Amino acid sequence: MRDAPVDARLGAAKVGIPPIKTQGIKTKLVNFILANTRRVEGGRWIEPFLGSGVVMFNAASRNAIGAETNMHIINFYRAVQSGRLTPAAARRHLEVEGLNLQKRGAAHYYEVRDRFNRDFEPLDFLFLNRAGFNGLMRFNSKGKFNVPFCKKTNRFSKSYITKITNQVLWIMDSMKAHRAWEFRVSDWRETLQDVGKTDFVYLDPPYSGRSANYYDLWEEGAMRDLAEFLKCMPCRFALSLWSQNRYRKNPDLSLFKDYQIKTMRHFYHLGSTENLRNSMVEALIIKNVP
């Protein structure tokens, strides 16, 4: 069963925004997603495709697991959780690297990119994530960050650095308030192997057919494997998929025809090409009973 598309601009409460940006980030859909989830008190919130983490951070469950195959996202959030990466450290780093970027332009960006691909420093990851082309996060087959420079040498203004610093502060405070949160480097099968009836799983897998992969491959047939797994999962869940855009409809939706499906229209601002930054009808596949 499907509902008519709801406009993402309507009825939105304030949503916290994390400092890491990814393709398909769900900032505009957080209220829509959370309004359609029914959780059991005391159960865990589990995300096997964490991405930016925007849904998990706003869900603010007491117990949560955020998992990713992208180790750099997990390393970043673990660094914040452990206190190794603080808002003050983020501000200092972005001020220094932003000034160097203003002076040296692309040469400095690529120097930091090479350094990150050698050392995997979370602060460099943050800088590259906010200085790269069109907000992309992309890695090559060898696991190297390969997003080109955005060509904005003065990107890191004082106000922009303050905005990012406040986002780091927000996630740090969220982690302190919810000390049972765990961040894992694992694939979805490993993450979901021990789910229980009281857990709630939110899934936001790579969108097949939209060139949205940003770390490893989402092979043809992977969505079918996930759909089969979800049939046997003992707990409630919500799954985000794209439903349709101006060009075509998503054939993967047929895999979930036995579940409730709600839709919302919104606009993607991140993407490598203009055709990936258009109006999109987003689908939320929902199982709200065990």
Side-chain angles (χ1 to χ4, degrees):
M1 180 178 68
R2 300 186 188 180
D3 299 331
V6 176
D7 194 308
R9 295 170 295 182
L10 301 178
K14 184 174 177 59
V15 171
I17 301 174
I20 297 299
K21 304 297 182 185
T22 62
Q23 291 91 287
I25 188 171
K26 294 297 183 288
T27 304
K28 292 186 177 182
L29 296 169
V30 166
N31 288 296
F32 168 64
I33 293 165
L34 296 183
N36 286 289
T37 61
R38 297 178 186 170
R39 289 167 272 169
V40 177
E41 187 174 354
R44 299 174 298 175
W45 178 278
I46 301 175
E47 288 196 35
F49 305 96
L50 184 64
S52 71
V54 66
V55 180
M56 187 177 109
F57 285 116
N58 282 280
S61 292
R62 181 174 298 179
N63 300 295
I65 296 172
E68 260 287 346
T69 56
N70 187 329
M71 67 177 183
H72 305 295
I73 291 176
I74 299 302
N75 287 346
F76 180 86
Y77 286 134
R78 283 176 174 173
V80 175
Q81 189 177 44
S82 68
R84 186 167 68 87
L85 195 162
T86 65
R91 179 182 292 278
R92 288 193 300 270
H93 191 78
L94 296 178
E95 286 175 345
V96 170
E97 302 304 341
L99 183 60
N100 287 330
L101 186 70
Q102 191 171 14
K103 292 177 179 178
R104 301 179 58 230
H108 183 68
Y109 175 84
Y110 291 114
E111 183 178 292
V112 175
R113 195 177 76 171
D114 289 343
R115 185 174 71 199
F116 170 73
N117 283 329
R118 182 186 68 237
D119 301 332
F120 304 144
E121 169 55 49
L123 283 170
D124 282 342
F125 180 58
L126 177 62
F127 170 80
L128 293 170
N129 183 243
R130 306 306 284 260
F133 179 73
N134 279 340
L136 291 175
M137 183 185 297
R138 190 183 65 196
F139 296 79
N140 63 24
S141 60
K142 296 181 179 179
K144 303 295 186 181
F145 188 87
N146 67 352
V147 177
F149 180 43
C150 72
K151 299 182 180 180
K152 297 179 180 178
T153 58
N154 61 346
R155 184 168 186 79
F156 290 93
S157 64
K158 182 178 293 186
S159 61
Y160 190 58
I161 291 173
T162 295
K163 178 181 178 179
I164 299 171
T165 301
N166 287 338
Q167 291 169 349
V168 175
L169 176 63
W170 176 62
I171 65 166
M172 183 186 73
D173 287 345
S174 297
M175 292 174 187
K176 287 181 178 178
H178 305 92
R179 295 188 180 277
W181 285 5
E182 180 184 353
F183 295 91
R184 297 180 182 176
V185 179
S186 62
D187 66 18
W188 65 267
R189 293 180 188 276
E190 183 180 356
T191 304
L192 299 178
Q193 66 181 351
D194 63 345
V195 295
K197 289 184 178 180
T198 61
D199 294 327
F200 188 93
V201 177
Y202 171 66
L203 307 104
D204 183 21
Y207 284 10
S208 54
R210 293 203 70 241
S211 301
N213 296 339
Y214 64 92
Y215 189 69
D216 51 11
L217 294 177
W218 186 244
E219 302 282 0
E220 184 177 354
M223 190 63 73
R224 185 173 298 277
D225 291 343
L226 181 61
E228 289 299 315
F229 184 93
L230 294 179
K231 287 180 182 179
C232 302
M233 200 166 65
C235 63
R236 296 166 168 84
F237 70 81
L239 167 69
S240 284
L241 288 180
W242 68 279
S243 174
Q244 64 184 69
N245 57 26
R246 60 191 264 189
Y247 304 105
R248 63 195 182 98
K249 296 182 179 180
N250 185 359
D252 285 340
L253 275 180
S254 63
L255 298 171
F256 303 97
K257 61 181 183 299
D258 294 331
Y259 299 101
Q260 183 181 21
I261 301 177
K262 294 196 174 185
T263 57
M264 172 173 270
R265 182 177 290 107
H266 75 117
F267 192 95
Y268 277 116
H269 292 278
L270 302 183
S272 57
T273 58
E274 187 175 352
N275 70 302
L276 296 181
R277 300 195 296 272
N278 285 307
S279 176
M280 168 71 65
V281 176
E282 188 89 10
L284 190 69
I285 293 91
I286 306 163
K287 177 188 173 185
N288 267 326
V289 294

